[in-house]
Amino acid sequence: MLSIRRRIALEAAHKLENDLIARHPLRQLFWECTLRCNLRCQHCGSDCKVQALQPDMPKEDFLRVLDQVAERTDPHKVFVIVTGGEPLMRNDLEECGRAIYDKGFPWGMVTNGLALTPERFQRLMKSGLHSATVSLDGFEDDHNWMRGNEHSFEHAVSAIRTMIAEPDFLFDVVTCVNKRNISRLVELRDYLVGIGLKHWRLFTVFPAGRAAGNPALQLSPEEFRTVMDFIRTTRREKIIDVSYGCEGFLGNYEGDVRDHFFTCQAGVTVGSVLVDGSISACASIRADYHQGNIYRDNFMDVWEQRFAPYRDREWMRTGECAKCKFFRYCRGGGMHLRDAEGQLMLCHYNRFLKK
C-alpha cells in the first residue's frame, strides 16, 4: 500500500504530467548515429556489431532534422544526445558535434569509453560537447565479462578519470546491476567516490535483445529490493548523487530513489532519430513504435501530430495492467518495457510483491 503522503505527492505529479503531455515540448533528441560498436555487450538491446549491416547516418541528414526543429522551437532548449552503437566509432564525430553546436543545440553522448583518449576528449570539448554518460558495470572481472573485452574496464575508468579532471564538465556513470556485481555495490560506490565521481545512475536489465535469454542478468525480486534499499540509503547519507533509471513505477520507493516520481518521457519530451531515419522516442525502445521517417516526413510535423501511442497510454490497460490500482501513476510503465505486440515484458512494482 502507498502511504497517504506519497499518494498525495503522486497525485500532484500526475496533474503536472497531464499538462506536460498536452504541451509535449521537445526537450531531448537522441540521434542514433551508428549501429557499429567496438564491444559485444551481454545486455545490448540493439545487437550492435563492429561492422553493422545498416550504414551510419550521414551527418547532413540529421542536420536537416535540426533545421526543422529550430524552425519551431528554441534550439537552446533541445538537448541532442548522440548515441549508437558506439558514437566514437565515427571518425567524424567531432565534425558532427561542431555542426550540432553551431546550429544552437547543446549536445552530449553516451559512450563505453573504449576509444576515448584524453586527446580525443579535448577535441570533442572544442566541438561543443556538453555532457556524457559512461558505462561501468562493476570491477574489472565483472565489467569485462559484461562488455566482452578484456581491456574494457581500464579504458572506461580512464575515460571517467579524464572527465573528472575537467571540473566544469557534467557527466555521469551508468551501471547495469546484475547477479555478478550486486554483492559489490557498496565497494563500487566507495571506489567511484574515491576517484571523484559526482553522479551515478543504476539500472536493471529488462528481457529484450541479448539480455532476453541470459539469466545471469536478471535479478530476483529479493535482489531487486536490495538495489532499491542500497540507492535509498546512499541518497539519504548523501555519499554520492545516485539514482535509479527511469524504468518503472516503484510503489513506496517512489520519491526515494530518484529525483522525481516515475514518468516515461518517451514521446512526451523525448524524441529520437534512428540510424535508418525512423522517428521514434527513447533510444531504449527496440520494438517498432516508430511514428515516421525523416526521409519522407518533416520531423516536427511528426512530433506535433503523431505520437498518440506515447501520449495516450490507455491502450496499455490490458493484462496485468487492466485492474492495477496504480495505473493512474504508472500509465503502463516505460515504453521500452513493451514488446512488438504491446505486451508488458516486466512490471517493476510486481517484483516487490513476489518472494
Side-chain angles (χ1 to χ4, degrees):
M1 293 293 293
L2 293 179
S3 66
I4 297 297
R5 182 177 180 181
R6 206 173 306 269
R7 192 181 291 270
I8 291 172
L10 283 165
E11 276 296 320
H14 176 76
K15 293 176 182 178
L16 291 173
E17 182 66 9
N18 283 343
D19 176 68
L20 192 62
I21 291 171
R23 293 186 293 110
H24 51 265
L26 181 66
R27 290 293 176 258
Q28 287 187 330
L29 180 59
F30 285 92
W31 178 30
E32 187 181 62
C33 69
T34 182
L35 282 182
R36 291 182 294 139
C37 188
N38 46 15
L39 295 178
R40 185 171 175 79
C41 303
Q42 300 272 358
H43 63 314
C44 181
S46 305
D47 197 22
C48 300
K49 300 176 177 64
V50 173
Q51 294 297 328
L53 297 177
Q54 178 73 41
D56 296 354
M57 177 180 286
K59 70 178 186 298
E60 292 78 13
D61 296 352
F62 181 67
L63 294 176
R64 282 194 291 271
V65 172
L66 295 186
D67 289 338
Q68 295 165 5
V69 174
E71 287 176 358
R72 305 192 198 181
T73 191
D74 183 354
H76 298 91
K77 295 181 179 180
V78 181
F79 194 85
V80 174
I81 303 172
V82 183
T83 185
E86 170 53 51
L88 293 173
M89 294 290 284
R90 290 189 65 132
N91 293 327
D92 67 344
L93 184 59
E94 290 87 340
E95 297 174 26
C96 296
R98 171 49 64 181
I100 293 169
Y101 185 75
D102 286 346
K103 288 183 178 294
F105 293 85
W107 73 280
M109 68 175 178
V110 179
T111 179
N112 59 43
L114 188 67
L116 187 68
T117 63
E119 294 76 19
R120 190 163 196 200
F121 179 65
Q122 288 301 317
R123 294 200 301 270
L124 289 165
M125 291 271 288
K126 291 177 181 178
S127 299
L129 181 69
H130 276 61
S131 72
T133 292
V134 183
S135 298
L136 186 73
D137 297 315
F139 290 102
E140 189 166 9
D141 288 348
D142 295 332
H143 179 84
N144 290 347
W145 167 80
M146 175 72 88
R147 299 287 162 172
N149 185 298
E150 63 180 350
H151 303 295
S152 180
F153 177 81
E154 62 180 286
H155 285 277
V157 171
S158 176
I160 293 167
R161 290 183 181 275
T162 296
M163 293 178 186
I164 289 172
E166 289 288 341
D168 296 327
F169 187 72
L170 182 64
F171 80 102
D172 67 352
V173 166
V174 62
T175 297
C176 174
V177 184
N178 56 78
K179 287 186 179 296
R180 283 184 61 120
N181 64 15
I182 187 172
S183 64
R184 301 186 72 184
L185 283 180
V186 172
E187 188 181 353
L188 182 61
R189 177 197 67 196
D190 294 345
Y191 171 77
L192 292 173
V193 171
I195 65 174
L197 183 70
K198 303 298 184 184
H199 308 286
W200 188 27
R201 189 158 35 101
L202 306 183
F203 72 99
T204 49
V205 172
F206 58 99
R210 293 181 194 153
N214 193 336
L217 297 178
Q218 309 297 330
L219 298 181
S220 69
E222 181 180 0
E223 289 169 331
F224 185 63
R225 187 181 294 274
T226 295
V227 175
M228 296 302 110
D229 289 337
F230 167 77
I231 295 173
R232 181 161 61 184
T233 298
T234 300
R235 286 172 64 89
R236 287 175 176 174
E237 295 177 355
K238 302 185 185 302
I239 299 171
I240 187 175
D241 174 29
V242 63
S243 64
Y244 184 63
C246 54
E247 296 188 41
F249 179 73
L250 300 170
N252 275 317
Y253 286 100
E254 286 295 329
D256 290 346
V257 296
R258 288 184 285 237
D259 294 336
H260 54 80
F261 291 111
F262 169 71
T263 173
C264 177
Q265 290 298 298
V268 178
T269 62
V270 178
S272 70
V273 175
L274 304 185
V275 70
D276 63 354
S278 296
I279 298 171
S280 188
C282 170
S284 295
I285 300 171
R286 304 318 310 177
D288 186 359
Y289 290 99
H290 308 330
Q291 301 297 298
N293 193 290
I294 65 167
Y295 294 113
R296 64 172 183 269
D297 302 305
N298 179 288
F299 178 88
M300 287 306 292
D301 284 346
V302 173
W303 179 256
E304 292 170 356
Q305 299 167 15
R306 302 184 196 176
F307 282 90
Y310 293 87
R311 296 169 188 166
D312 181 358
R313 304 196 181 185
E314 281 299 310
W315 63 271
M316 292 183 176
R317 204 188 282 267
T318 59
E320 59 186 299
C321 294
K323 296 182 179 179
C324 179
K325 57 186 176 182
F326 299 128
F327 185 89
R328 178 177 181 81
Y329 310 127
C330 178
R331 302 177 193 257
M335 282 290 294
H336 68 288
L337 299 176
R338 298 280 163 170
D339 64 18
E341 284 71 47
Q343 299 301 308
L344 184 64
M345 293 183 283
L346 178 68
C347 174
H348 287 66
Y349 177 74
N350 279 348
R351 297 167 87 173
F352 299 127
L353 306 180
K354 299 174 182 177
K355 301 274 184 170

